[in-house]
Structure formats: structure tokens, C-alpha cells
């Protein structure tokens, strides 16, 4: 396809004529579209023939034709609308038929096209109408004019031509033009509806419009006859006169319409005023009757009362709402007699405000006194009321029963503030009660109270072994048993899961809370019979007191929770008090958490590296990266402390990322120092939260890529307990890490509960013997037997064995004889800063030993 052809094809491959068709005729069916295109093309062809013919006329004739066409088009801009009618006519038809008589069908056709074009632009915004109307006028006028021209020629040829016959023929031609043009135009909508038009539909407007066409033709014929007698001067003088007459007629009709509109507006206004006056009189006559009818038959309770609450009148709906018999006299009673005494004063206050015109109306919810003692709530709306004949103004009360709504609100309130399972207050309600208790203590320090936080020690085991349905029944039974052993005003709530809290107010001494805790521990140890199963459990309880000076409920709950965890860590099934010592520990921990967060953000942590050695050759094979934190004020912080804080505070992911980036980067620097260091390996510990993190593989890969370190030179260590607790969730992640090429090692092996089946299937490369077994390693001891069993187990499963915590030469020799391949410990080297490792590697290179040593002639001890 060449460039010209491509230019007419749009993005969807459609040619220009199809796009034009869809733009012009979006709502046309095939028949209507075919008809439209036929008329448009035929009209265009006739117009082209007309222009070619007119261009052959002499200059004077062309000037006359041009003037006639311009006048016809100008007349189309200002149609004359007939008053009190929807019809209008344009004076352009006079000049169209005059051009027909003077210059033939072509001149008349051009004028008809021009007038139709102006008319369609004035009345329609659619291009399909703006194109079709001139085209159809071209077809209709050319056909009619050609026929009329032939008739006139035939009369001349047979000597029958005379002015009267010419006048009649011209008028008939005008009517025929109107009929033909109307038929062509009305065919389009009927084809779109697939329905042929009737003659009535096509020519229903013939009356006025047909007459105007015939009249216009007669005027044109008379002007033509005058022109034949007197020349062009008559036309030049007559045209302005006709235009002036038509303009005058146009503005006369417009003025008639305006006058008619003003007259009608005044008449309508007078009728409305008379109707309003009459309506007002009727309203005044029936207002009292209508009010009493509405009052009596209203579906809501209504009462007329004085400003001192005396009842003047009540309707049947109010009697039914209050349960009052129809024959019971209540006039002159006080309306407040039917209101709950607790709300009566509220109603009186509103009546006084209304009487003093401080308010225009009021709405208030009141408890009403139903005759049968049923609690009834009503929304009472009161407003000022005065009748013309009344001696004094009064108040109209509208009383609507809202008991169902109040009950629903109470139900929703209970749902919002109570646990759906046990019916106890939930955490939201308990926090509100705790907040109120703290406020009371601030107002009166003598009103001390205690807070107890309970957590069941084996609830997860109940859920996992017996199912959640049994677990739910257990929680309901526990809630009931706790309630039975509390004072009436003590509050117990379920905070969530198996966590409960007890608010014990108005304590004479803290001893009551301790006594209550002992009693609850005893009763909760007693078995529960749930679904035919005897369940034994216990609880851990944390206790704190308002005397600690709490400001918010959250702080008090936090400290009770901390005390509960202290009880759990002390052996469970006991209670613990939150005291000053524990408060100090918590404050210290909170401070460390904040400092650790800043240390991670500011890069204040460091990494120490402990060498790993081949016990058979004395060769350094790699390093274990260990996090170190030297607090600017407190000095070195134990990793056991700050790693646990990082776990609890959600900082462990950031800490692990720091370790991965630092260790991988440092190892790559050491590998590049000498070719003999290229196979050094780095061990980095990861936590249970890291294993559960969905992005662990991506994080490890990012650290490797950033350091340009090969994956096989990195080993991740997981403790045995973490691995087994999260085995199902961790397995896909571990598999992805092994697929990446990263090594995996089980740390602290021997202290957990992994099975042989798990060890044989887990994608791990090495097992690290826990330092507790190495520390007590003696010939013939049980620890020696465990270590020997681990080494044999690892070798049989194809796992490398690494011994931790080697601190003596005897331990080293014994492990070597047992066949342990790898080890680390203070006997070989303490964890060292990267600078000291640099010194060690430099000395190895300088001595020519590199990383290889002879274990029989050289002690495999690097630094102490």
C-alpha cells in the first residue's frame, strides 16, 4: 500500500468514506442510509449541472440570478411566524419562482438550494440534515421547474399562452414543489423506523404552508408579468418594497405575540389572585375543622397542653400509646403525670423555654408511664399553637412511640461493647470502665483499685487438639467460673482470645487482689467438663494497682500484661505483681528499644566475626557474623538482650538486613585479598520472624548482588526450635534459598525436638552442636555420648558437623577423635572486629601459611 492510500485509512483500517458515513449517519439503518446517500449524490449532481448552465449565461443575467439567490437566502434567515399558529413561511419562495420564470429551472434550483441551506442551518445542528435538505430541495425544484418550464413551452408552441394560464401554472408548480419536497424529506424518518408514511403524515401540514407557497408563486408571476411590461426597473423598485412589507409583517406579528403574551400574563395573574383570595377564604372557613380532623385521626399521639402542662385535649393514638381507656377523663390533668418522674423536670424545662420564646420548638426523648407498666419510650415534639377563637396560646405535643428503636439501640450498644461469645464486656468497654476508674482515683485518691490480667497456659493446645468449637465452650465455662468468684461490683472482661481482665475497685488494701488471684488459680486448676472431655488447665495472672500513678488505661493494661508474662516465665500457673523493680526493667527495656531503633537508623551497630576452623587441618574455612552494640552511655549491650528486643519491637528484619549486607560485603573484601581466601564462607544467623517474612529470599539475593558474592559462600543459621516450630511455613522459603545456592545450617542442635524424618528431608547442609554439650564434654560422659551420636547422625545423613563453644585443648582433641569436622570457640579465636581479622589474614599471607596449618605441628589457635 502506497503513502497516499495509507493516508485515507484510520487506525482501525477503515477507509475515509466509511468513517464519514458513521460520523454523519450514526442512527441510520441500511435503507435510510442508502436513501440519504442517493438523495445527496443526486442533489449534488443537479447542483453541479445548474452551476455549469448558469455560468454560460450573459453577465447581466448572472447578476440578476445572483441577486435573486441572495434575496431568497436572506429571506430564509427571517421567517415570518403566523400568530397563534406553529406555522411560518419565508418570503424567499417569491424570488425562487420569479427566477424560474425569468431564467429557467437552473436559476430557481440554485435559489431553492440556498434557501434550504439557510433553513437547515437555522433549525438543525446535524450535518446529515444540513446536507440532505439542500440536496432534496435541489431534486424537488429541478424536477418541478423542468416540468413547469415544459408546460409553459408547450402552451407557447400551441398558441395557448396567456397571463392567466401562466398564473395558474405557476401556482400549481409551487404546490407541486411543496408536495414533492415534503415527500422527499418525510421519507427519511419513516425509513429509519421501517414504516412507510401515510399521505396524512406526509401532507398533514398542507393547509397554511401550501397556501403560502401558492401565494408566493402568484406574487412571483405578477412581478414577472410586470417585468415583461416595464423592464427590470420595476423589479429593482419592487424588491425593496416587498422586503419592507415582509419585515413590517414580521415585526407586526412579533408585536402581536408580545401583546398577546402580556395580555395572557395579566389575565393569568388576575385569575391567580382571585383564586388565591377564594382559596384563602375557604382555608379560613375549614381550617379549624381540618385541624380537629387531623388531630383526632392522626396515627401518632397528639396532645394540646397549656404552658403549665395542663392537658387540654388528647387524641386516640396517644390514649392507645399510654394504655388509657377511651372513657377515662384526663382533661385538666398534668401531662407530666404520664411521664416518668426522672424525665418530668426535663419536659417542664422545655415548656418554660417555649413560653419565654427562647426556642421555637423542641424535641426530646422521654420515658412515658404506660398504664400496664410496660416501659415505653416516646419522641416528643412540642411547638407553639394558637387558634383564632382560643382564649390563650397553648402547646401542641406530637408523641411518637420509639420503644422499638430504643431497644434496637440498646441491643447494638450491647453488641458494640460486649464479647459475642461469653457475653462479658469486651476490650473497648473494659478500657472505658478502666478510664472511669482512673478518673475517680484522680478525684479521690482513697478510691484505689487493682487490675488483673489473666492468660491461660495451654489454650492453644486445646484449640489444636479438640477444635475451636470445644475451645469456645471452654472460654464460656471459664468466664462463668471467674464471675462466680468475684464481688458483685467487680468487672471481668474478655479482651480477646484466652485473655481476660478483672477490675477490682474500692480496695481496702492490695491484699484483696492477691487473695483473689490465689482463689482464681485454685478454681481454674479444677477440671472442666467440655463436650464429654475433661480438660485440665491453669492460668498465669499479672496484677498491678492504681497506686502506681497511671495516666491512661493503655498504660495500666500494658503493665498488667508485663506482670502476667513475668508469671509465665516464672513457671506458669501463678501470679506476679507489677512493682517498682519490674517497672524499672520495663522502662529500661523501652529505653533500649528506642535507642536500638535509632542505632539501626544511624548505623551505630557493628559486626564481629568468629573464625570457623577445619579441626582436622587447622585451616580457617570461614566466619560467623555476630551483631554487636556498644551503647554510647550504657556500654556494650548483650546480643541476647538487644536481639530479643528487636524481635519484640519488629526491628529484627532491619537488623538481619544490616547483618547480611555487612557480612557479605566484608567477606567479598577478604576473598579479594588473596587467591587462597576465595573459598572463605560466611555464616549469618536469621530469626523465626525472618523465616516467616515473605521477602527473605529477595532480601538475601539483594545482599549477595550488592556485594557481588557467590551464593555458595553464604550460609544462613536457624535454631532447631525455630525451624521445627515454623517447619510447614518455612519449608518453601528454605527450598528457594537452596535453589538460590545459599547454604543452610541448624544452630543449637540437640536442644530441640527435631525428628530423623525431618532431618532427612530438610534442605540443610550442616548441624551445629550446641555449646552446652561441648562445655561438659568428658570422656565417657553422657554429653560425650550425645555429641558422638550427633556426629554419627550427621555423617550418615550427609550433613557437616560444626561444634560450638570449644574452649580447651582437651575439648578440641576429643572432638577431633570423634570425627567432628568443623568447630569454633574461644580456644581458637574470640569474635573479632573486622580490623583484627584483616591483621590475622595479613599475618597468614606473610607467613606463607595462608589458611592452611599442620594440626600436628602447629596449634590451630589464632587469637585469644
Amino acid at each position: 500500500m502506497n503513502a497516499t492510500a495509507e493516508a485515507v485509512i484510520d487506525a482501525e483500517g477503515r477507509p475515509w468514506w466509511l468513517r464519514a458515513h458513521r460520523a454523519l449517519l450514526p442512527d441510520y439503518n441500511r435503507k435510510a442510509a442508502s436513501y440519504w446517500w442517493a438523495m445527496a449524490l443526486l442533489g449534488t449532481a443537479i447542483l453541479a449541472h445548474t452551476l455549469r448552465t448558469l455560468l454560460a449565461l450573459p453577465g447581466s443575467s448572472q447578476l440578476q440570478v445572483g441577486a435573486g439567490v441572495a434575496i431568497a437566502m436572506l429571506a430564509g434567515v427571517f421567517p415570518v411566524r403566523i400568530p397563534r399558529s406553529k406555522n411560518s413561511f419565508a418570503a424567499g419562495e417569491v424570488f425562487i419562482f420569479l427566477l424560474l420564470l425569468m431564467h429557467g429551472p437552473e436559476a430557481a434550483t440554485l435559489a431553492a438550494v440556498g434557501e434550504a441551506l439557510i433553513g437547515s442551518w437555522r433549525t438543525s445542528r446535524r450535518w446529515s440534515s444540513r446536507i440532505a435538505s439542500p440536496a432534496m430541495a435541489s431534486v424537488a425544484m429541478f424536477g418541478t421547474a423542468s416540468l413547469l418550464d415544459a408546460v409553459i413551452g408547450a402552451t407557447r408552441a400551441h398558441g395557448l399562452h396567456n397571463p392567466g394560464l401562466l398564473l395558474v401554472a405557476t401556482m400549481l408548480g409551487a404546490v407541486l414543489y411543496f408536495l414533492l419536497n415534503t415527500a422527499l424529506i418525510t421519507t427519511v424518518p419513516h425509513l429509519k423506523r421501517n414504516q412507510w408514511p401515510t399521505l396524512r403524515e406526509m401532507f398533514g401540514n398542507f393547509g397554511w404552508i401550501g397556501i403560502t407557497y401558492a401565494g408566493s408563486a402568484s406574487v412571483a408571476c405578477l412581478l414577472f408579468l410586470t417585468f415583461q411590461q416595464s423592464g427590470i426597473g420595476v423589479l429593482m423598485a419592487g424588491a425593496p418594497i416587498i422586503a419592507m412589507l415582509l419585515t413590517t409583517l414580521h415585526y407586526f406579528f412579533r408585536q402581536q405575540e408580545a401583546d398577546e403574551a402580556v395580555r395572557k400574563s395579566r389575565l393569568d395573574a388576575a385569575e391567580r389572585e382571585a383564586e388565591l383570595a377564594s382559596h384563602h377564604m375557604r382555608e379560613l372557613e375549614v381550617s379549624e375543622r381540618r385541624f380537629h380532623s387531623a388531630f383526632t385521626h392522626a396515627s401518632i399521639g397528639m396532645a394540646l397542653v397549656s404552658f403549665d402542662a395542663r392537658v387540654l385535649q388528647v387524641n386516640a393514638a396517644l390514649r392507645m400509646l399510654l394504655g388509657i381507656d377511651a372513657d377515662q377523663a384526663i382533661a385538666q390533668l398534668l401531662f407530666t403525670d404520664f411521664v416518668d418522674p426522672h424525665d418530668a423536670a426535663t419536659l417542664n424545662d422545655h415548656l418554660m423555654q417555649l413560653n419565654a420564646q427562647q426556642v421555637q420548638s423542641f424535641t426530646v426523648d422521654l420515658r412515658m408511664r404506660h398504664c400496664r407498666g410496660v416501659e415505653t419510650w416516646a419522641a416528643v415534639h412540642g411547638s407553639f399553637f394558637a387558634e383564632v377563637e382560643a382564649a390563650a396560646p397553648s402547646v401542641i405535643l406530637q408523641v411518637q412511640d420509639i420503644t422499638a428503636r430504643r431497644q434496637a439501640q440498646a441491643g447494638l450498644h450491647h453488641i458494640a461493647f460486649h464479647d459475642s461469645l461469653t457475653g462479658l464486656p469486651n476490650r473497648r468497654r473494659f478500657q472505658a470502665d478502666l478510664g472511669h476508674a482512673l478518673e475517680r482515683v484522680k478525684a479521690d485518691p482513697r478510691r484505689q483499685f487493682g487490675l488483673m490480667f489473666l492468660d491461660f497456659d495451654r489454650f492453644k493446645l486445646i484449640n489444636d487438639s479438640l477444635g475451636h468449637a470445644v475451645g469456645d465452650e471452654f472460654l464460656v465455662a471459664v468466664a462463668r467460673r471467674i464471675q462466680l468468684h468475684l464481688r458483685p461490683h467487680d468487672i471481668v472482661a474478655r479482651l480477646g482470645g484466652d485473655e481476660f481482665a478483672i477490675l477490682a475497685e474500692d480496695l481496702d488494701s492490695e491484699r484483696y487482689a492477691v487473695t483473689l488471684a490465689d482463689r482464681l488459680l485454685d478454681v481454674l486448676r479444677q477440671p472442666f467438663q467440655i463436650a464429654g472431655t475433661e480438660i485440665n488447665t491453669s492460668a498465669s495472672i499479672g496484677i498491678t494497682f492504681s497506686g502506681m500513678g497511671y495516666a491512661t488505661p493503655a498504660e495500666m493494661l500494658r503493665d498488667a500484661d508485663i506482670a502476667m508474662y513475668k508469671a509465665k516465665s516464672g513457671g506458669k500457673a501463678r501470679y506476679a505483681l507489677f512493682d517498682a523493680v519490674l517497672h524499672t526493667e520495663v522502662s529500661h527495656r523501652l529505653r533500649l528499644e528506642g535507642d536500638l531503633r535509632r542505632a539501626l537508623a544511624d548505623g551505630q551497630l557493628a559486626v564481629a566475626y568468629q573464625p570457623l576452623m577445619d579441626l582436622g587441618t587447622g585451616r580457617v574455612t570461614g566466619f560467623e557474623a555476630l551483631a554487636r552494640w556498644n551503647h554510647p552511655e550504657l556500654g556494650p549491650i548483650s546480643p541476647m538482650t538487644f536481639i530479643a528486643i528487636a524481635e519484640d519491637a519488629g526491628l529484627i528484619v532491619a537488623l538481619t538486613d544490616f547483618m547480611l549486607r555487612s557480612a557479605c560485603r566484608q567477606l567479598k573484601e577478604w576473598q579479594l585479598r588473596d587467591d587462597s581466601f576465595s573459598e572463605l564462607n560466611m555464616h549469618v544467623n536469621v530469626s523465626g520472624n525472618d523465616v516467616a517474612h515473605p521477602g527473605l529470599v529477595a532480601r538475601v539475593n539483594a545482599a549477595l548482588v550488592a556485594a557481588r558474592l557467590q551464593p555458595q559462600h553464604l550460609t544462613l543459621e536457624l535454631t532447631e526450635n525455630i525451624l521445627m516450630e515454623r517447619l510447614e511455613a518455612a519449608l518453601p522459603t528454605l527450598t528457594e534459598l537452596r535453589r538460590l545456592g545459599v547454604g543452610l545450617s541448624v544452630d543449637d542442635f540437640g536442644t530441640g525436638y527435631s525428628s530423623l524424618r525431618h532431618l532427612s528431608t530438610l534442605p540443610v547442609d550442616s548441624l551445629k552442636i550446641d555449646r552446652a554439650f561441648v562445655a561438659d564434654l568428658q570422656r565417657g560422659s553422657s554429653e560425650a555420648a550425645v555429641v558422638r551420636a550427633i556426629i554419627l547422625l550427621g555423617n550418615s545423613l550427609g550433613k557437616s558437623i560444626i561444634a560450638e563453644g570449644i574452649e580447651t585443648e582437651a575439648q578440641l582433641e576429643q572432638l577431633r577423635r570423634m570425627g567432628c569436622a568443623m568447630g569454633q570457640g574461644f580456644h581458637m579465636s574470640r569474635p573479632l572486629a573486622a580490623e583484627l581479622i584483616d591483621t590475622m589474614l595479613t599475618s597468614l599471607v606473610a607467613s606463607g601459611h595462608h589458611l592452611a596449618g599442620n594440626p600436628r605441628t602447629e596449634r590451630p589457635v589464632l587469637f585469644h
Side-chain angles (χ1 to χ4, degrees), residues 92-276:
E93 282 82 3
V94 174
F95 298 95
I96 292 173
F97 288 107
L98 181 59
L99 289 174
L100 169 63
L101 296 173
M102 291 178 62
H103 296 287
E106 288 78 7
T109 299
L110 183 61
V113 170
E115 186 201 37
L117 180 64
I118 294 298
S120 63
W121 273 79
R122 180 173 52 81
T123 60
S124 176
R125 293 181 179 273
R126 292 192 58 167
W127 279 95
S128 58
S129 297
R130 293 178 176 182
I131 295 173
S133 293
M136 292 176 182
S138 174
V139 174
M141 178 52 75
F142 187 77
T144 302
S146 298
L147 178 61
L148 180 60
D149 189 57
V151 170
I152 293 173
T155 57
R156 284 197 180 101
H158 292 83
L160 302 175
H161 184 73
N162 60 70
L165 185 60
L166 179 62
L167 178 63
V168 172
T170 303
M171 292 174 66
L172 291 175
V175 173
L176 179 61
Y177 167 66
F178 162 69
L179 294 176
L180 182 57
N181 195 35
T182 301
L184 294 176
I185 291 174
T186 56
T187 299
V188 173
H190 288 85
L191 285 176
K192 289 169 69 175
R193 297 194 300 266
N194 285 318
Q195 179 183 358
W196 286 103
T198 63
L199 292 177
R200 180 183 180 88
E201 291 174 327
M202 293 179 63
F203 308 120
N205 295 325
F206 174 77
W208 271 106
I209 303 177
I211 292 173
T212 58
Y213 270 76
S216 299
S218 64
V219 172
C221 184
L222 293 175
L223 287 174
F224 174 69
L225 293 173
T226 305
F227 163 73
Q228 285 184 325
Q229 296 292 328
S230 304
I232 192 66
V234 175
L235 290 180
M236 295 179 64
I241 293 173
I242 293 172
M244 183 177 65
L245 289 174
L246 291 173
T247 303
T248 302
L249 184 62
H250 172 75
Y251 283 104
F252 173 75
F253 284 164
R254 293 290 298 274
Q255 186 61 42
Q256 287 283 83
E257 289 182 349
D259 293 343
E260 179 66 18
V262 171
R263 186 187 67 81
K264 185 176 181 181
S265 176
R266 290 175 178 174
L267 182 60
D268 290 345
E271 290 178 353
R272 282 196 302 271
E273 288 178 2
E275 184 178 353
L276 286 173

